[in-house]
Amino acid sequence: ALHTDPPAGGRRGRAGFGLIALLLPFVLWALLIKGADLPPIIAPTPIETIRFIFTENAYPIWKALGVTLPMAALGLIAGLAFSFLLAALSILAPAVARALVPVAMLVQNTPLVALVPFVVLAFGRGITASVFLAMLVVFFPAYVLLNQGFAAIPAAARDLVSVYGGSRWQLLWRIAVPYSISYFFAAAKMVAPMALLGVMVAEWLVSGVGLGNLLNISRPALDYETIWAGALISILISAGTYELVGMLERRTRR
């Protein structure tokens, strides 16, 4: 078998576009602050914010991330697992799946703030509530993509399993899952940043711990350096998670 590497020019081009994509938000950030003539105490420049991240004053941010990131990972895994189970029902039990879709759409279209009292009553104000809210943010977009992947299975593949007497479980594991693996990674890339956002919102509204709570209490204290640094770190983590899932997808396809 022949193995061909991408041309060097193509690799350099992708690296150049990646560098531009990385630097452009910081350039726009600096130009916006300069154009609006905002004071540094309210809107620090990108260089000032990056410098602050590596000082001792940023220790509360890293400590808060130690609480937030594990909960975001749990929310992401739980949301993807729940969306997969709901999408799998479209093959294993289509009638049940059709009955659950309206409930899922109702939960998805209900503002997260409106669900907070019910979540607090059911799970309290601990880690479970934060993970559950993150799962709510994640599961529906992932379910839509996975359901599209299962629905796009060629009819010939379904007929082949049926002709040989295969069960719905065999159709799911032997045909549906391998065929829709690209949909799964697309869903994971889309919802991975949303899991972090969901946990931060939960920390702000429910648990009172983690990065979301830190940003909330920094606002009345006029600690804008912590706010900007925390926001920048969360954005970089979200972008890095997106790229990590993309790397896993490329390795899986190889």
Side-chain angles (χ1 to χ4, degrees):
L2 296 177
H3 176 72
T4 58
D5 293 324
R11 290 196 297 269
R12 286 195 297 268
R14 285 194 296 271
F17 280 119
L19 182 61
I20 292 174
L22 177 64
L23 295 179
L24 184 59
F26 293 96
V27 173
L28 295 177
W29 176 359
L31 291 177
L32 179 62
I33 292 176
K34 184 176 181 180
D37 196 22
L38 296 174
I41 191 173
I42 296 177
T45 64
I47 295 177
E48 292 171 342
T49 302
I50 294 173
R51 186 184 298 119
F52 175 82
I53 290 175
F54 295 99
T55 63
E56 294 182 356
N57 294 329
Y59 173 75
I61 298 177
W62 301 110
K63 183 178 179 181
L65 277 174
V67 178
T68 300
L69 291 181
M71 290 192 292
L74 287 175
L76 175 62
I77 294 172
L80 288 173
F82 186 70
S83 62
F84 175 81
L85 291 176
L86 190 59
L89 285 177
S90 63
I91 294 178
L92 300 177
V96 176
R98 287 193 295 268
L100 291 177
V101 167
V103 179
M105 293 184 65
L106 176 64
V107 173
Q108 174 65 23
N109 289 287
T110 302
L112 199 61
V113 177
L115 294 174
V116 167
F118 302 99
V119 175
V120 172
L121 287 174
F123 303 105
R125 292 182 174 272
I127 295 176
T128 306
S130 298
V131 173
F132 183 77
L133 285 173
M135 187 191 73
L136 289 181
V137 173
V138 165
F139 95 92
F140 191 77
Y143 161 72
V144 171
L145 279 174
L146 287 173
N147 193 52
Q148 288 179 352
F150 289 166
I153 299 173
R158 293 176 179 268
D159 294 340
L160 181 64
V161 175
S162 177
V163 166
Y164 281 93
S167 64
R168 292 182 182 271
W169 281 102
Q170 289 174 323
L171 174 62
L172 175 66
W173 292 113
R174 296 182 182 274
I175 302 297
V177 172
Y179 184 83
S180 59
I181 191 69
S182 60
Y183 289 85
F184 175 82
F185 279 110
K189 285 192 291 186
M190 181 176 65
V191 301
M194 299 171 64
L196 179 60
L197 175 62
V199 168
M200 291 176 63
V201 171
E203 291 171 341
W204 166 45
L205 296 173
V206 178
S207 63
V209 297
L211 185 59
N213 179 67
L214 177 63
L215 297 182
N216 184 43
I217 63 177
S218 298
R219 178 174 50 84
L222 302 181
D223 188 2
Y224 290 102
E225 288 182 326
T226 297
I227 294 174
W228 283 82
L232 175 60
I233 290 174
S234 63
I235 292 172
L236 292 177
I237 291 174
S238 298
T241 305
Y242 180 93
E243 291 299 327
L244 177 61
V245 176
M247 290 174 58
L248 292 175
E249 179 184 12
R250 290 189 291 270
R251 290 180 65 89
T252 302
R253 290 189 174 187
R254 288 174 186 170

